[in-house]
Amino acid sequence: MFEHLRKRCISRGVHDLGILADPNSRGFYEKMGCEYKHEYPSTINNRTTPYLQLKMKKANIKLNSDS
């Protein structure tokens, strides 16, 4: 599913994707190639949420016309 997201972003000219993640999912997004940027204030008192960024790379991604 994450690879599909990458392909869709690239096909639409999106170069970076910002993600506000659940604190428990930060490791997953980092494994998917996202870079941790900073903590972002949460709507929940005394809590923050990680902000990550995914930079799109055209290399090694074949775009499919039926995406």
Side-chain angles (χ1 to χ4, degrees), residues 28-57:
F28 165 78
Y29 286 108
E30 289 175 328
K31 286 179 185 176
M32 296 290 105
C34 296
E35 180 182 342
Y36 171 78
K37 294 297 186 177
H38 57 83
E39 290 297 311
Y40 194 85
S42 174
T43 56
I44 300 171
N45 288 336
N46 301 317
R47 183 176 165 185
T48 60
T49 186
Y51 175 78
L52 300 102
Q53 185 177 45
L54 178 64
K55 293 197 178 282
M56 304 301 157
K57 299 175 187 169

